[in-house]
Amino acid sequence: MKVILPVAGYSTRFGEVAEYAPKQLLPVLGKPIIDYTLDQIDRMDEIDKVYLITNDRFYQHFANHVARRKGKPIEVLNDGSKSNNDRRGTIRDIGLVLERSKISDDVMIVFPDNLFDFNLEEALRSFRGRYSEYPVLVVYDVGDFEKAKRFGVLKTGPDNKVMSFAEKPDNPTSTLVSTGIY
């Protein structure tokens, strides 16, 4: 299995805090945010390679960080964008990784700017057992429509298939939000 970590955003909502470094490399409790995800990935035997797709502005930051890490092999790819105005977008970045790397294996996509407190390997094992023929999206019910406005919101049908998805909607259709794990 391969993992794609999309980190090509420009952290515009962080203002000056992330002007010179990507938010995924900002420390939380003395450790870069991305390392919480990478530490879990490193413990997963099934994963043999990680692809990190970033922009031109932060490429060297991630390349330097990855060079200092031990663990799974990580390939850092540059999507070529130089500012928030010419960014490709997450879906195109994921497509770029798939195209350049010729991946034919199963793929897990994790947004490593989200902190989560569950075991990723156990979650994958559980999903594989129940939903092996479908793509899986890990969601969380924030239980409040005002809170939901700050996230990617989805609505599911009676069979739990995603019926709609909207990024930070003004009028959320549900309180189910994406955790950034696919």
Side-chain angles (χ1 to χ4, degrees), residues 3-180:
V3 174
I4 298 174
L5 304 176
V7 293
Y10 287 88
S11 307
T12 54
R13 289 184 306 261
F14 275 65
E16 287 183 27
V17 173
E19 189 172 335
Y20 303 104
K23 66 183 173 185
Q24 296 86 355
L25 294 179
L26 296 174
V28 171
L29 298 174
K31 179 172 159 177
I33 295 169
I34 194 171
D35 284 353
Y36 289 93
T37 299
L38 288 172
D39 289 348
Q40 285 216 42
I41 289 168
D42 285 342
R43 292 189 295 270
M44 297 174 72
D45 292 336
E46 186 173 359
I47 295 169
D48 56 3
K49 186 156 186 186
V50 177
Y51 296 89
L52 190 148
I53 179 85
T54 188
N55 55 54
D56 193 62
R57 180 170 155 198
F58 293 138
Y59 173 82
Q60 200 57 53
H61 289 84
F62 285 110
N64 292 343
H65 183 73
V66 164
R68 291 188 297 269
R69 280 190 58 85
K70 292 180 177 24
K72 303 280 184 195
I74 302 172
E75 183 175 340
V76 182
L77 297 135
N78 185 339
D79 75 358
S81 71
K82 298 190 182 300
S83 74
N84 198 46
N85 296 330
D86 72 345
R87 71 187 187 279
R88 299 172 51 87
T90 303
I91 299 301
R92 285 191 181 118
D93 278 341
I94 291 168
L96 187 65
V97 173
L98 296 171
E99 178 185 314
R100 283 187 187 170
S101 304
K102 310 271 189 269
I103 296 173
S104 60
D105 201 353
D106 287 343
V107 174
M108 178 168 43
I109 300 166
V110 181
F111 290 77
D113 56 355
N114 295 321
L115 294 173
F116 49 90
D117 63 356
F118 58 86
N119 182 298
L120 198 52
E121 185 171 28
E122 287 177 16
L124 178 62
R125 196 171 28 252
S126 173
F127 299 142
R128 278 256 164 97
R130 290 187 280 169
Y131 306 106
S132 58
E133 69 273 17
Y134 300 108
V136 174
L137 168 67
V138 180
V139 300
Y140 179 74
D141 189 347
V142 294
D144 179 77
F145 285 94
E146 276 306 306
K147 285 182 186 174
K149 290 179 181 182
R150 300 188 315 243
F151 300 95
V153 175
L154 59 137
K155 188 168 185 169
T156 59
D159 55 0
N160 286 328
K161 288 186 181 176
V162 176
M163 304 302 290
S164 67
F165 185 92
E167 187 67 28
K168 298 179 187 81
D170 291 332
N171 298 304
T173 57
S174 82
T175 57
L176 291 177
V177 302
S178 170
T179 61

